[in-house]
Amino acid sequence: MTLHVRAGVSLKPFNTFGVEVQAKAFAEAHDDYDIRQALAYSAEHALPLLVIGGGSNLLLTTDIQALVLRMVSRGIRIISDDGERVIIEAEAGEGWHAFVLSTLEQGLSGLENLSLIPGTVGAAPMQNIGAYGVEIKDVFHSLTALDRQTGELREFTLSDCAFAYRDSVFKQQPGRWLILRVRLVLSRAAHLHLEYGPVRQRLDEQGISQPTPKDVSLAICAIRSEKLPDPAVLGNAGSFFKNPLVVASLAAELKREHPGLVGYPQADGQVKLAAGWLIEQAGWKGYRDADAGVHRLQSLVLVNYGTATGLQLLDLAQRIQIDIEQRYRVKLEMEPNLY
Ligand code: FAD
Ligand code: NAP
């Protein structure tokens, strides 16, 4: 089938901030053949190609003069199973949370802490998605990506991906790699990570002393739903800033100045500061300017109350960055991808 390319399409339904911008051209890729056609279209019309998944990590600040290609490829399959260790593959366009739930239904453990993260499987390696002490790198096996420079397919192993805190080789080389499918190593025995944030406490409150991976997933879904705005109700892209990593001496100085400072020492000697704490202490929690704001329960999350533009959200983010740097000598880095 020929790729169905539409001109002048609103991207409002395709970014979770709900920002209104137009794509010059728009198409959906169901399989590798569609992707090849999109690349050919982009070359023929001298239009850049912007690949998106669920649009949950984007800040769109202007109309997109590109062919926007939304990944909707589907397919989940078990590649190998030795009774304990299972390698499972999913196509890039699979919804991440639905994929997590399908692994839990199959009795597999490994993804429970990554429940309810919006977006697609294909975008998950981009920033090495993480939550509650687990990152995709912890269960990663390999992935297949298309090199947009050469048109060739390339297999990436764990070490090829250069995964780091909310970072990867794919994020470092924007626009080069188009991720087609991802393989993860899951386990039939549960190896649970409960010592992060309120997970254990939530299970205890429910009287669950020996949780299953499904119990952990349900507890995390409940915690997240209470704290994070649902993009279907209030536009947002999750955490807008990464937690800054600072040298231990600066963390100690700040702790003397601000005894309540929340910081987590890292294996490399740096300290990860809770950006949400810094923003809240600076008085931004619940702040609103027209329709751009800081969420009232979670100060790391910027929200669109309806008609905020990408530039208004960016302006708010930059004001927060400047204020935090002046107060704490700490630079906050934005997490969403800016276009
Ligand atoms: P998009 O936003 O569509 O794209 C993100 C980037 O990846 C873009 O640069 C895009 O060009 C690129 N891209 C997308 N698909 C592909 C592909 N197949 N190949 C190559 N490049 C591609 N993130 C976390 O890490 N942890 C969390 O706990 C978390 N919680 C969130 C909660 C909420 C309410 C929201 C709104 C967001 C949250 N996020 C979280 C951020 C976001 O959900 C993840 O980063 C997610 O992986 C983005 O997936 P997506 O499909 O929406 O990507
Ligand atoms: P939280 O539990 O209130 O914790 C605040 C911050 O402290 C988190 O950012 C977390 O860092 C850090 N933290 C908490 N316990 C820690 C520990 N034991 N060791 C090291 N660091 C610890 O955070 P939250 O905002 O409700 O989010 C819960 C989890 O979901 C976090 O892992 C967060 O990253 C993830 N999340 C991510 C996004 C996103 O868009 N990226 C959105 C929502 C939630 P880390 O962020 O490094 O884990």
Side-chain angles (χ1 to χ4, degrees), residues 56-57 113 117-118 127 130-135 165-166 195-198 223-224 227-228 237-241 243 262-266 272-277 298 300-301 335:
S56 63
N57 211 15
N113 288 37
I117 299 180
Q127 69 158 10
Y132 298 99
V134 174
E135 296 175 324
Y165 172 62
R166 303 283 189 271
E195 310 310 329
Y196 202 93
I223 297 167
R224 292 181 68 108
K227 211 169 162 184
L228 288 167
S239 303
F240 199 89
F241 300 101
N243 288 321
V262 180
Y264 298 92
Q266 304 295 291
K272 182 182 74 181
L273 301 181
W277 188 90
Q298 173 47 289
L300 255 191
V301 178
E335 186 178 296

Side-chain angles (χ1 to χ4, degrees), residues 52-64:
I52 64 167
S56 63
N57 211 15
L58 303 178
L59 180 59
L60 305 175
T61 58
T62 177
D63 286 342
I64 305 294

